[in-house]
C-alpha cells in the first residue's frame, strides 16, 4: 500500500517562503519539540516549525538554553519531523556546536540533517559566526540566521531585555542582517528589538524576516508554542499573546481524573473488557 496522499498539500520549502515574502503573504511559524505537538501545529496550517533550543527551557526545565546538547536536539527533532506533513521543519544548532569552528559547525549541521530529516538549521549571531554559516551553506544545507536577542549569549547580555535600542547596536544589526542575506541564509529571525528597526531590516534584505517581539512590519511571526497556548504559568512577556489557557484546562482535566480514580468511578462498566 502506498503512503502517498494525493490530496496532501505540498511541503513548504525555502522557495515557497521567499515567494510568500514577495507576495506579501505573512509566514506563520511556531516552535515544536515532539511528534504529537507538531502533528497538531502542522494541521493548523503553520508554515514553518522550529525545533528551538528553547526546548532547554520548556522541555527540560533549564534556566537558559546553554546546557542543551546536540543529541538532545536531535531527539526532539526526530519526533517533530515525523509529525509535520506540510510545514518546513528546521532545527536550532545548540550552544557550543558551531561557534568559532566552521568544521564543527558543518559536522553538527550534517548530523541534524542526516539523523532527523529536517530541512535546515538555525544559528544565532552575525559576522562572528559568518564562517560557520558559509561552511554549512556550502554543503547545501539551508540556514536561518537569528539576530537581536540571541539567548545563547545571555551571559554577555546580562539579561533578556530588548536589544539594539542604541544606534551603534542597531547599525551593527542591520549590517549583520545584510551579511547573512548576502551569504545565502534563507531567512532571518529577529528577536526582541524595536519594531522600527525590524521594519528597516525587513526592507533591507531579500530574504524573509521572521519576528518574535519585533513588531508586525516583518514577513512573519514565531512564538514558542507552549507560551502562546498558555502552558507556562507566570511567563507573560509583552510580545506573547495567549491563545488559550491550556495549563488551567489540563490541570482541571487531570484533577478530574485523580478524583475519578480515587472514587472508583474510572474505569466504568463501558470502559473495561
Ligand atoms: O529557540 C527558540 O525557540 C527560538 C525562537 C524563540 C525564535 O530561537
Amino acid at each position: 500500500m502506498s503512503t502517498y496522499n494525493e490530496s496532501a498539500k505540498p511541503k513548504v520549502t525555502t522557495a515557497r517562503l521567499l515567494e510568500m515574502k514577495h507576495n506579501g503573504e505573512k509566514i506563520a511559524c511556531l516552535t515544536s519539540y515532539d511528534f504529537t505537538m507538531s502533528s497538531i501545529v502542522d494541521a493548523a496550517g503553520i508554515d514553518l516549525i522550529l525545533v528551538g533550543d528553547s526546548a532547554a527551557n520548556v522541555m527540560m526545565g533549564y534556566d537558559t538554553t546553554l546546557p542543551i546538547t546536540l543529541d538532545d536536539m536531535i531527539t526532539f527533532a526526530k519526533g517533530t519531523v515525523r509529525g509535520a506533513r506540510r510545514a518546513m521543519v528546521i532545527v536550532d544548532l545548540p550552544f557550543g556546536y558551531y561557534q568559532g569552528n566552521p568544521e564543527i559547525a558543518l559536522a553538527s549541521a550534517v548530523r541534524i540533517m542526516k539523523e532527523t530529516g529536517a530541512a535546515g538549521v538555525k544559528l544565532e549571531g552575525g559576522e562572528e559566526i559568518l564562517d560557520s554559516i558559509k561552511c554549512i551553506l556550502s554543503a547545501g544545507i539551508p540556514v536561518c540566521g537569528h539576530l537581536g536577542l540571541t539567548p545563547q549569549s545571555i551571559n554577555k547580555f546580562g539579561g533578556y531585555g530588548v536589544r539594539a535600542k542604541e544606534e551603534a547596536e542597531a547599525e551593527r544589526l542591520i549590517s549583520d542582517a545584510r551579511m547573512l542575506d548576502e551569504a545565502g541564509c534563507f531567512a532571518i529571525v529577529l528577536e526582541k528589538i524595536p519594531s522600527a528597526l525590524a521594519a528597516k531590516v525587513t526592507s533591507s534584505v531579500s530574504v524573509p524576516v521572521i519576528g518574535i517581539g519585533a513588531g508586525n512590519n516583518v514577513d512573519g511571526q514565531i512564538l514558542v508554542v507552549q507560551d502562546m497556548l498558555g502552558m507556562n504559568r507566570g511567563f507573560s512577556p509583552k510580545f506573547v499573546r495567549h491563545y488559550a489557557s491550556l495549563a488551567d484546562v489540563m490541570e482541571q482535566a487531570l484533577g478530574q481524573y485523580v478524583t475519578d480514580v480515587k472514587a472508583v468511578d474510572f474505569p466504568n462498566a463501558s470502559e473495561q473488557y
Side-chain angles (χ1 to χ4, degrees):
M1 194 185 87
S2 165
T3 55
Y4 176 70
N5 176 357
E6 280 183 38
S7 65
K9 293 194 181 140
K11 195 95 179 161
V12 176
T13 60
T14 56
R16 174 68 189 128
L17 297 177
L18 191 59
E19 184 183 77
M20 289 173 82
K21 176 176 176 116
H22 289 153
N23 295 346
E25 283 174 63
K26 296 293 181 186
I27 303 167
C29 317
L30 281 177
T31 66
S32 180
Y33 318 94
D34 68 82
F35 173 81
T36 303
M37 183 67 88
S38 81
S39 311
I40 299 168
V41 166
D42 186 75
I46 291 296
D47 302 302
L48 179 116
I49 294 177
L50 167 69
V51 185
D53 62 351
S54 48
N57 312 119
V58 296
M59 302 300 286
M60 302 177 86
Y62 290 119
D63 287 339
T64 74
T65 57
L66 273 64
I68 198 164
T69 67
L70 187 60
D71 285 339
D72 293 331
M73 291 302 298
I74 286 172
T75 300
F76 290 126
K78 281 180 178 170
T80 306
V81 168
R82 287 192 203 108
R85 285 168 169 269
R86 175 186 165 272
M88 175 173 175
V89 179
I90 64 169
V91 183
D92 263 338
L93 284 195
F95 175 69
Y97 293 88
Y98 64 95
Q99 295 94 340
N101 189 324
E103 281 162 30
I104 290 179
L106 177 59
S108 305
V110 166
R111 269 201 71 195
I112 285 180
M113 302 301 284
K114 268 190 182 298
E115 295 178 38
T116 73
V121 296
K122 177 167 82 58
L123 283 69
E124 295 183 5
E127 188 177 11
E128 70 282 9
I129 58 152
L130 200 59
D131 288 346
S132 291
I133 288 178
K134 284 182 176 169
C135 194
I136 296 171
L137 286 166
S138 74
I141 299 172
V143 173
C144 177
H146 183 158
L147 299 171
L149 177 64
T150 47
Q152 291 179 16
S153 301
I154 187 61
N155 291 307
K156 182 174 86 180
F157 297 148
Y160 290 99
V162 178
R163 300 306 310 175
K165 287 198 282 193
E166 308 301 330
E167 193 163 339
E169 195 179 333
E171 287 304 321
R172 166 90 202 263
L173 190 144
I174 293 172
S175 146
D176 279 342
R178 289 194 176 125
M179 266 180 228
L180 297 182
D181 184 20
E182 278 161 26
C185 287
F186 76 87
I188 300 170
V189 167
L190 295 181
E191 180 165 352
K192 228 173 170 185
I193 62 168
S195 58
L197 175 60
K200 200 166 170 186
V201 173
T202 304
S203 59
S204 313
V205 297
S206 65
V207 293
V209 170
I210 311 297
I212 171 164
N216 58 16
N217 287 314
V218 288
D219 301 307
Q221 300 291 333
I222 185 161
L223 286 173
V224 169
V225 69
Q226 283 84 351
D227 295 347
M228 58 91 75
L229 290 177
M231 295 171 81
N232 291 329
R233 285 192 179 119
F235 186 67
S236 307
K238 186 175 171 176
F239 65 86
V240 172
R241 183 180 294 177
H242 288 131
Y243 286 86
S245 299
L246 284 201
D248 295 341
V249 172
M250 290 167 79
E251 190 178 321
Q252 198 281 329
L254 297 169
Q256 187 62 52
Y257 170 73
V258 171
T259 303
D260 292 352
V261 168
K262 292 191 185 292
V264 200
D265 178 58
F266 175 81
N268 64 24
S270 68
E271 292 164 330
Q272 50 193 295
Y273 300 100

